Structure formats: structure tokens, C-alpha cells
């Protein structure tokens, strides 16, 4: 399961990096909804990662404050 989590994290990072690079190269002039499919895939992967980490949702995982201090 650890390998699966790492692969999901890597794919999410790839998607986010692609979107950021494309926006940077295009000077922010992308058409509305240009990244909708990529963002949807990223969101689905983030939900899957949250469940693999034993959270009830991605939102619960993002707002978990354990280990911050």
C-alpha cells in the first residue's frame, strides 16, 4: 500500500506541475476550463490517497492538525 500511496502522490504532483508550467508558459491566458479534466483527475486521486491513509475524506486529511506542532 505504501507504494500505491507514493505513486498517487507522484501523479498528483505531475498534474499540478503540468498545470503550473502551462500557465507560466502561457502567461496565464488559458481558456476557461482548460484544466478541468486534469484538476478532476487530481481531485479523484487526492480522495483515493485520503482513503488509503484512513481518512474519511480528502478534506479531513487536509485539515488534520496532528503532527504539525
Amino acid at each position: 500500500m505504501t507504494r500505491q500511496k507514493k505513486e498517487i502522490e507522484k501523479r498528483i504532483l505531475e498534474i499540478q506541475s503540468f498545470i503550473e508550467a502551462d500557465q507560466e508558459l502561457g502567461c496565464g491566458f488559458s481558456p476557461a476550463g482548460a484544466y478541468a479534466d486534469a484538476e478532476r483527475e487530481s481531485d479523484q486521486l487526492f480522495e483515493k490517497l485520503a482513503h488509503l491513509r484512513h481518512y474519511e475524506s480528502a478534506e479531513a486529511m487536509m485539515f488534520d492538525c496532528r503532527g504539525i506542532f
Side-chain angles (χ1 to χ4, degrees):
M1 229 189 301
T2 302
R3 180 178 178 183
Q4 187 177 11
K5 288 184 231 178
K6 287 182 182 181
E7 289 176 1
I8 290 173
E9 290 170 350
K10 182 180 175 183
R11 181 64 184 143
I12 291 170
L13 184 62
E14 287 174 356
I15 292 169
Q16 291 173 346
S17 297
F18 164 75
I19 292 172
E20 290 173 7
D22 197 52
Q23 287 177 340
E24 185 72 27
L25 292 171
C27 299
F29 295 111
S30 60
Y35 307 113
D37 292 336
E39 290 171 346
R40 192 174 310 113
E41 181 184 358
S42 178
D43 291 343
Q44 290 172 349
L45 289 170
F46 202 70
E47 281 289 335
K48 188 173 183 179
L49 181 63
H51 289 291
L52 287 173
R53 290 182 175 173
H54 306 288
Y55 288 96
E56 54 195 44
S57 67
E59 185 177 335
M61 184 175 71
M62 288 185 341
F63 292 111
D64 184 16
C65 61
R66 292 180 289 175
I68 291 177
F69 303 105

